[in-house]
Amino acid sequence: MTQLKKRAPGRVLTAALIAALIAAFTVAPLFATGKKDTGTQPGGNFSVLVYITGMVTGSPTYELLAAGAESFAASHSNVVVKVYEAGFNQAEWEEQLTSLVAGGGFDLVLGSNPSLPEICANVGKKFPNQKFIITDAEYPGNPQISTYLYNQYEQSFYLGYLAGLVTTGKMEHANGAKKIGFIAAQEYPLLNKHIVPGFLDGARRVDPEITLDFRVIGNWFDANKAADLTSSMISAGVDVFASIAGGAAQGMIRTAGEQGAYVVFHNTNEYRLAPGVIVGCGLMEQKKLTEEILTDVLAGKIQYGTSHTVGVKEGYLDFIADDPGYTGALPKDIQDKFNSFMNDIRAGRVPYTIPPL
Ligand code: RBF
């Protein structure tokens, strides 16, 4: 159990000096690199850096992380949150985090990305008192880092089952090809070993003949490239899509709507973006988890060096079945089959094996 870090009495600074230091070390570099700083002003006694590996807007996991931290700060006057967007150049992330940690005096760095723990481990070597908590990642064994892995194999598995029902069903745009599609921004172990295999395994619980067309955009923002891939996949027979592509997914959704195909969406309720096109949305309770993590941090209850896995049974993943985007778009037989499958998942009645990461 780790105690909450208290500022040393010898380091109590005047307001003016604090302001000068903040200007020198924190605000100036953020604005100098053109990054967005949406944090509340410092002045509290527990400061959290929310380190966004990309941009907040358009990336559900980041939106929920920032929202959770900001809502926690809004209800805890002693907590200060700074949200820093590191942008899409992954080669710069470690250097940016190093200078933020060096200059920011943050009690905690909070992030959400499978590649972040390794970067934190490197930064942490230079700053042995710095603590990091990363969701959407698995990294046990480092005494400065605690991680929470969403069981994304499981979410992809039930979204894949729904995709399987749609591609083999009789909806307007379903064809006879039994082909589902997945568009990824980039490849990384969690995607290749859990998310994509889970999607195909779920679909094959409906029909083992279903095949997967998998394509990669190459970045997290190019909606036009995603649109081109979608179009080519529809020509090749894909009638149901999933994606992990951040803001670029908008191009897939738009093209699926224009050319007649369906989408199942991970992590957030996006039905209203494209009614009748997005026919299923998973739910990731990242905002709730973020608030719980910060509660535990303040209570000194975080065990650094450990990794937790959270999924449907733990209450951090689910499917949004009470939205008109679902109830109004899918035929009753598909809803009945899927709802019953989802209930079996919730009750732990569907056996599956999570591949090693
Ligand atoms: N997900 C996003 O929604 N937006 C991003 O910009 C983004 N960038 C990522 C960069 C890297 C290097 C990695 C490994 C993953 C990234 N993800 C991003 C994926 C995200 O962390 C998560 O795995 C998926 O959103 C599935 O929950």
Side-chain angles (χ1 to χ4, degrees):
M1 192 155 92
T2 310
Q3 288 305 310
L4 187 61
K5 185 178 144 197
K6 292 261 166 27
R7 293 190 188 287
R11 291 180 53 218
V12 173
L13 302 172
T14 65
L17 186 51
I18 290 172
L21 284 174
I22 287 156
F25 291 114
T26 313
V27 179
L30 299 190
F31 289 128
T33 54
K35 310 297 185 202
K36 193 174 151 205
D37 170 19
T38 58
T40 33
Q41 286 307 301
N45 51 25
F46 193 85
S47 68
V48 181
L49 170 66
V50 178
Y51 190 69
I52 301 291
T53 35
M55 307 285 284
V56 174
T57 306
S59 293
T61 54
Y62 301 159
E63 287 171 354
L64 296 168
L65 180 77
E70 280 172 342
S71 95
F72 188 83
S75 59
H76 293 78
S77 57
N78 59 333
V79 174
V80 172
V81 166
K82 181 178 290 295
V83 178
Y84 179 87
E85 293 181 306
F88 293 113
N89 186 349
Q90 295 167 18
E92 288 178 356
W93 289 351
E94 186 173 325
E95 203 183 315
Q96 287 179 55
L97 186 58
T98 303
S99 61
L100 287 165
V101 166
F106 297 106
D107 297 290
L108 176 71
V109 173
L110 194 58
S112 182
N113 189 296
S115 73
L116 201 42
E118 212 169 310
I119 292 172
C120 295
N122 289 339
V123 175
K125 279 183 209 148
K126 294 175 215 129
F127 303 96
N129 295 324
Q130 184 64 56
K131 294 289 194 283
F132 305 88
I133 301 181
I134 311 299
T135 68
D136 204 12
E138 183 173 56
Y139 199 83
N142 183 310
Q144 290 174 257
I145 304 175
S146 175
T147 53
Y148 295 77
L149 181 73
Y150 292 103
N151 184 352
Q152 288 290 26
Y153 179 89
E154 185 180 47
Q155 184 180 193
S156 288
F157 187 73
Y158 55 76
L159 290 177
Y161 187 83
L162 179 59
L165 291 173
V166 172
T167 196
T168 56
K170 297 193 163 43
M171 291 169 68
E172 186 189 351
H173 301 303
N175 58 40
K178 295 188 186 178
K179 203 168 177 183
I180 58 174
F182 196 104
I183 298 184
Q186 75 175 87
E187 298 189 75
Y188 53 100
L190 183 66
L191 182 103
N192 292 106
K193 295 180 181 175
H194 282 186
I195 298 177
V196 175
F199 189 60
L200 182 57
D201 290 351
R204 286 186 168 163
R205 290 291 168 111
V206 177
D207 185 335
E209 287 178 1
I210 291 172
T211 59
L212 179 77
D213 188 345
F214 172 69
R215 313 268 182 120
V216 180
I217 301 167
N219 63 59
W220 294 87
F221 50 83
D222 191 346
N224 289 332
K225 174 90 185 279
D228 289 348
L229 292 175
T230 306
S231 189
S232 133
M233 291 161 84
I234 291 174
S235 304
V238 172
D239 50 12
V240 191
F241 287 82
S243 72
I244 292 290
Q250 300 308 316
M252 174 195 74
I253 294 166
R254 193 180 65 233
T255 306
E258 285 164 4
Q259 298 185 12
Y262 303 103
V263 170
V264 294
F265 206 83
H266 285 73
N267 301 334
T268 44
N269 188 336
E270 305 291 345
Y271 289 113
R272 81 196 80 82
L273 271 185
V277 177
I278 299 179
V279 295
C281 292
L283 179 69
M284 174 198 257
E285 295 281 10
Q286 164 108 314
K287 183 164 184 268
K288 175 177 96 164
L289 180 62
T290 304
E291 289 166 341
E292 288 173 2
I293 286 171
L294 290 173
T295 304
D296 284 352
V297 169
L298 289 194
K301 282 193 192 157
I302 298 289
Q303 291 200 318
Y304 291 92
T306 62
S307 184
H308 313 75
T309 299
V310 293
V312 171
K313 137 169 128 285
E314 294 81 14
Y316 295 90
L317 291 176
D318 212 317
F319 180 86
I320 304 163
D322 59 356
D323 190 291
Y326 171 74
T327 54
L330 289 170
K332 187 166 181 312
D333 64 319
I334 291 186
Q335 285 186 49
D336 287 347
K337 281 186 198 144
F338 182 72
N339 291 346
S340 136
F341 183 79
M342 202 57 220
N343 283 337
D344 287 344
I345 289 270
R346 289 188 190 104
R349 284 193 295 263
V350 183
Y352 64 84
T353 309
I354 308 176
L357 255 187

